[in-house]
Amino acid sequence: MEHMEQEIDLRQLLAVLRKRLRLIVLITVLATLVSAVVSFFVLTPVYEATTEVLVNKSEPTDQLLLNAQYIDANLKLVETYKVILQSPRILDKVAAWPGVGYTTEELRDRLSITTVKNSQVIAISFQDPDPARAALVVNAVARTFQREITNIMKVDNVQILTEAKADPDAKPVKPRPILNMALAFVLGLMVSMGLAFLLEFLDTSIKTEQDVERELGLPVLGAIGVIEKRSGSPRRAVSGSKVPGVRAQLEVAAAPRRKAVGEGV
């Protein structure tokens, strides 16, 4: 019995979705189209440039210090280097570079510093609507750090592994139109389905025999069909010539009345 009730509920849900199919399709398609228009024509493309630097202190002269300990100490210093890269000591000088056009706070907000796991390589990334300026900023940060870290921590072995280059054919990192459209499609589908169920829940009118049986708990004994008028012809009453059986029944029912009238005369 429980399985049958679940099956009936599932059929009702499918019936609601089928009933509101046009609404669901309309909202889903509209949300996807709006996302496509915004992603392709409204949002400004943003490009990213990345450079990598390797920071390594000079090898120790004490032969008793094991290589493993030396490497572990350098790895722990990487987090310190990340903080220094985002400090005003570095970014103030980068902001003064010609063509940068950002304040220290703006540089800190847009700058991304990451490290490769278990390595001393630091990746410096910057996002900007202009790919050439993004490359200029990360290269300026790397060179300034290479020059200043010697005075800050007495580190004299900083190498720039890769310099960022302005690629005119670079692809923007955001927006991502395909991803945005996919998310809009899923979101529009969920919203439209939720709206369909909400409208069905708020609709308390009775339209079918099943609605009568469900609301009143009584079986339906009969139903009266709706006679649609033909196109081009006005609605009119059904004549006896159209339905001979109905006409005959009306004549039989009217015969006793005419006879009684005649007798009374």
Side-chain angles (χ1 to χ4, degrees):
M1 181 63 68
E2 183 179 355
H3 176 70
M4 294 179 62
E5 291 179 355
Q6 293 178 355
E7 184 177 357
I8 293 175
D9 293 340
L10 180 59
R11 289 181 180 178
Q12 291 176 351
L13 294 178
L14 294 177
V16 172
L17 295 178
R18 191 180 301 110
K19 178 181 177 181
R20 307 286 182 177
L21 183 60
R22 292 184 179 180
L23 177 65
I24 295 174
V25 172
L26 177 63
I27 294 178
T28 303
V29 172
L30 184 61
T32 306
L33 290 178
V34 170
S35 175
V37 171
V38 172
S39 298
F40 282 106
F41 303 106
V42 177
L43 297 179
T44 302
V46 176
Y47 300 87
E48 185 178 68
T50 302
T51 185
E52 294 179 341
V53 297
L54 174 63
V55 184
N56 190 18
K57 297 181 67 174
S58 301
E59 294 185 2
T61 56
D62 189 356
Q63 299 297 327
L64 298 178
L65 186 62
L66 299 177
N67 289 334
Q69 295 177 339
Y70 169 71
I71 295 175
D72 184 63
N74 281 337
L75 290 177
K76 292 179 179 179
L77 286 174
V78 170
E79 295 299 323
T80 304
Y81 300 147
K82 291 171 61 177
V83 175
I84 295 174
L85 276 166
Q86 294 179 308
S87 67
R89 177 75 177 267
I90 303 297
L91 297 184
D92 284 346
K93 294 179 172 56
V94 174
W97 275 54
V100 171
Y102 286 106
T103 64
T104 301
E105 291 74 16
E106 291 173 339
L107 289 172
R108 185 183 297 108
D109 293 338
R110 291 173 175 260
L111 200 65
S112 175
I113 309 296
T114 57
T115 56
V116 181
K117 187 177 181 181
N118 296 329
S119 74
Q120 298 168 243
V121 178
I122 302 175
I124 307 170
S125 302
F126 190 82
Q127 294 184 354
D128 192 87
D130 184 3
R133 185 161 61 172
L136 172 65
V137 170
V138 293
N139 289 333
V141 172
R143 292 172 185 173
T144 304
F145 175 75
Q146 185 181 33
R147 183 176 63 252
E148 294 295 327
I149 194 65
T150 303
N151 300 324
I152 297 174
M153 296 188 64
K154 308 303 180 181
V155 177
D156 56 356
N157 191 11
V158 178
Q159 301 179 13
I160 299 177
L161 300 180
T162 56
E163 285 195 353
K165 297 180 179 180
D167 185 4
D169 299 327
K171 295 182 179 180
V173 293
K174 59 182 181 181
R176 299 179 180 178
I178 303 301
L179 178 61
N180 293 345
M181 291 171 62
L183 293 176
F185 176 84
V186 174
L187 182 61
L189 184 62
M190 295 175 61
V191 171
S192 60
M193 292 175 63
L195 181 59
F197 288 122
L198 178 62
L199 293 176
E200 187 67 20
F201 176 77
L202 296 177
D203 186 7
T204 57
S205 59
I206 297 177
K207 299 182 178 64
T208 63
E209 296 88 343
Q210 290 78 11
D211 294 339
V212 176
E213 293 180 350
R214 184 176 62 254
E215 296 296 334
L216 302 180
L218 299 175
V220 178
L221 300 180
I224 301 176
V226 179
I227 303 177
E228 298 290 343
K229 67 177 182 179
R230 295 181 180 178
S231 59
S233 61
R235 184 183 295 272
R236 57 190 179 186
V238 180
S239 62
S241 59
K242 294 289 184 179
V243 188
V246 174
R247 181 177 181 180
Q249 293 177 6
L250 293 175
E251 290 179 349
V252 171
R257 184 176 180 183
R258 289 200 300 268
K259 183 178 180 181
V261 173
E263 291 176 354
V265 176

